[in-house]
Amino acid sequence: MDVLSDLLVRARAGNTRVRQLIQRPPWSVTYADPPPLTVVATLGGSASARFDDAGAAAVRLAPADIALVKGPGRHTIADDPSTPPGFVIHRGRKHFPGGGEVAAQAQRISAPRTYGDSLPGATVMLRGAYELHGDAGSRLLDMLPPLAVVPAGPRTQPALDLLAAEIARDEPGQDAVLARLLDLVLVLALRAWCAGPQAVLPAWYRAAEDPAVGDALRLMHDDPARRWTVAALATEVGMSRAAFAARFTSLAGQPPLTYLTGWRMTLAADLLRDTDATVATVARTVGYDDAFAFSVAFKRARGTSPSVWRRKCVDTSAPRATRPGSEPG
């Protein structure tokens, strides 16, 4: 599995939500505590997106543009930057700007997962929310700035059209269909962003485009527990040891086994957070026969022992309070 695919699979914690928002100007929605990653796409009309930090500039979204928004920063989507606050989404519920929750019966639900009315001049938007988590999620989010806008294009448009066609359906397996279509939109948007001149890409993304180094990265991600050596990786990709080591280091910004150790520590951190596996079991899973050697490597990478890391994760974890179907997006 290639690196980006592996990160997408491992970072997903479920609870993917897709909503269609239909708003007639003037309108404004503020997301007070958004998820780690939000995908916003304009289907009809235009909109603006901005973070609510002082001095943050608004970004215009033309029809079929896609915005990738990183949480947890408070941000606002509106028809125009000058539109005053309309509603605030906090903890999955809709509130008035001055406080007070909007009653569920007062929210206009015109179709499954669709909020608003299809009136003339309305802006139609899709909003997908990803509850990414863990160190794998952090690696994925490191690819993006806080707000990345991908202009409409010939590859993203058909995916958006298909997602828009499915959003209001309510058939067996519909949630699975929408989750996979949202994944398609996300991957195409990520590719388009990374291909643009404005992207500051992580070294592994650039390195993955090289046939030999990309194959080596795929091997390490497919089997991180294998006792890889530089010589073994070089043999697998059909290069001499010296040439492979130099090429990998030049493109990835670090030697092959340094990358492998970093990836193993990412996997270990998430296993310690998300499972009850013993430290020894986690060590073997990521390629260490000796739990002590693993603990030393983990502390060097994370600044704390595996056991302390696990306790800190338990102490700081707090589930997001959401009520299914209660939030307009």
Side-chain angles (χ1 to χ4, degrees), residues 25-299:
W27 60 270
S28 175
V29 181
T30 296
Y31 295 89
D33 51 354
L37 180 61
T38 304
V39 180
V40 178
T42 50
L43 301 180
S46 59
S48 72
R50 65 173 173 84
F51 280 92
D52 291 358
D53 299 334
V59 177
R60 197 73 182 170
L61 301 178
D65 284 356
I66 300 172
L68 304 177
V69 188
K70 284 167 55 171
R74 179 185 176 104
H75 66 270
T76 297
I77 310 292
D79 68 306
D80 188 87
S82 63
T83 300
F87 296 101
V88 177
I89 309 300
H90 176 56
R91 299 181 70 82
R93 301 184 183 185
K94 188 176 184 180
H95 296 77
F96 295 105
E101 185 176 346
V102 179
Q105 59 268 27
Q107 300 185 37
R108 300 188 305 278
I109 304 177
S110 56
R113 308 172 194 84
T114 301
Y115 294 81
D117 298 316
S118 300
L119 299 172
T123 300
V124 182
M125 302 186 67
L126 289 177
R127 182 176 184 271
Y130 280 96
E131 293 290 349
L132 306 180
H133 80 151
D135 276 34
S138 297
R139 282 200 177 205
L140 180 63
L141 292 173
D142 284 345
M143 297 176 62
L144 295 168
L147 175 60
V149 176
V150 178
R155 298 194 69 187
T156 55
Q157 183 71 65
L160 283 178
D161 290 343
L162 187 55
L163 182 56
E166 292 289 336
I167 187 71
R169 295 180 183 272
D170 200 11
E171 301 175 6
Q174 197 66 24
D175 288 334
V177 169
L178 293 174
R180 283 156 180 77
L181 288 176
L182 182 61
D183 287 347
L184 175 61
V185 171
L186 173 61
V187 173
L188 292 176
L190 284 172
R191 285 179 180 174
W193 171 260
C194 291
Q198 75 290 333
V200 180
L201 300 176
W204 62 259
Y205 191 93
R206 297 190 303 270
E209 296 177 344
D210 179 84
V213 176
D215 284 347
L217 288 168
R218 187 177 296 108
L219 289 167
M220 288 187 277
H221 278 254
D222 284 345
D223 193 2
R226 181 172 167 179
R227 292 185 178 180
W228 290 110
T229 63
V230 176
L233 288 167
T235 298
E236 291 282 354
V237 302
M239 296 181 67
S240 71
R241 182 188 184 284
F244 167 72
R247 189 167 179 175
F248 190 103
T249 302
S250 173
L251 294 175
Q254 57 187 326
L257 298 189
T258 301
Y259 177 90
L260 176 60
T261 298
W263 178 237
R264 285 172 168 173
M265 295 304 106
T266 292
L267 298 179
D270 286 348
L271 286 169
L272 291 165
R273 175 189 290 108
D274 301 331
T275 74
D276 294 327
T278 65
V279 171
T281 299
V282 171
R284 288 193 297 271
T285 301
V286 299
Y288 289 82
D289 292 335
D290 182 4
F292 178 77
F294 163 72
S295 296
V296 170
F298 189 89
K299 187 171 184 178

